[in-house]
Amino acid sequence: MERPGDGVRVARPAAIVHAVAPRLGRGLMYYHQVLHAGEPVGRGSTKYCLRTDVMYERRPPICTAPHDVEAYALLLRARELEAAGEPMEAVALYRRIKRLSDGIAAACRLR
């Protein structure tokens, strides 16, 4: 994380996974805890922000074994650590998740 002269936090160029070019009518959805940056849309343009929660129930349920439940709890903690600016602690938890649960690791694209 770098801070240019204006004090705004920006990712190192090597840490940027994807950039989206602005275009009229385009929308972007992402998990809010993921490191992201918003830029001004330009003169005469308006940016809208919509926040929502999606709720669902999987039938039949998957990843319900005790080791899956533990891995999911670790996943939630890892995301909290990332959001708090502690990426290395989060990485250690992601590694534990990979060892604990194939299902949770696959769902989170850790495999």
Side-chain angles (χ1 to χ4, degrees):
M1 199 58 86
E2 299 173 357
R3 287 186 185 257
D6 60 6
V8 175
R9 292 172 151 187
V10 295
R12 296 178 322 278
I16 296 172
V17 175
H18 190 76
V20 178
R23 188 176 305 154
L24 181 65
R26 183 172 273 180
L28 175 67
M29 292 176 52
Y30 59 92
Y31 181 64
H32 191 75
Q33 298 296 347
V34 172
L35 180 63
H36 63 281
E39 297 182 17
V41 291
R43 186 176 179 175
S45 299
T46 303
K47 182 187 286 190
Y48 296 95
C49 179
L50 171 69
R51 183 172 176 157
T52 186
D53 294 314
V54 177
M55 300 189 67
Y56 61 92
E57 180 178 3
R58 181 178 217 125
R59 292 186 186 180
I62 61 170
C63 299
T64 57
H67 63 275
D68 296 319
V69 173
E70 180 183 354
Y72 184 71
L74 290 173
L75 172 66
L76 297 179
R77 180 66 184 134
R79 288 180 174 170
E80 288 173 359
L81 288 167
E82 279 188 279
E86 302 292 339
M88 298 314 294
E89 288 80 358
V91 167
L93 294 183
Y94 288 128
R95 287 182 179 141
R96 284 181 57 196
I97 292 165
K98 282 177 68 172
R99 289 191 302 269
L100 273 174
S101 170
D102 288 334
I104 299 296
C108 299
R109 298 181 183 180
L110 300 176
R111 295 239 178 249

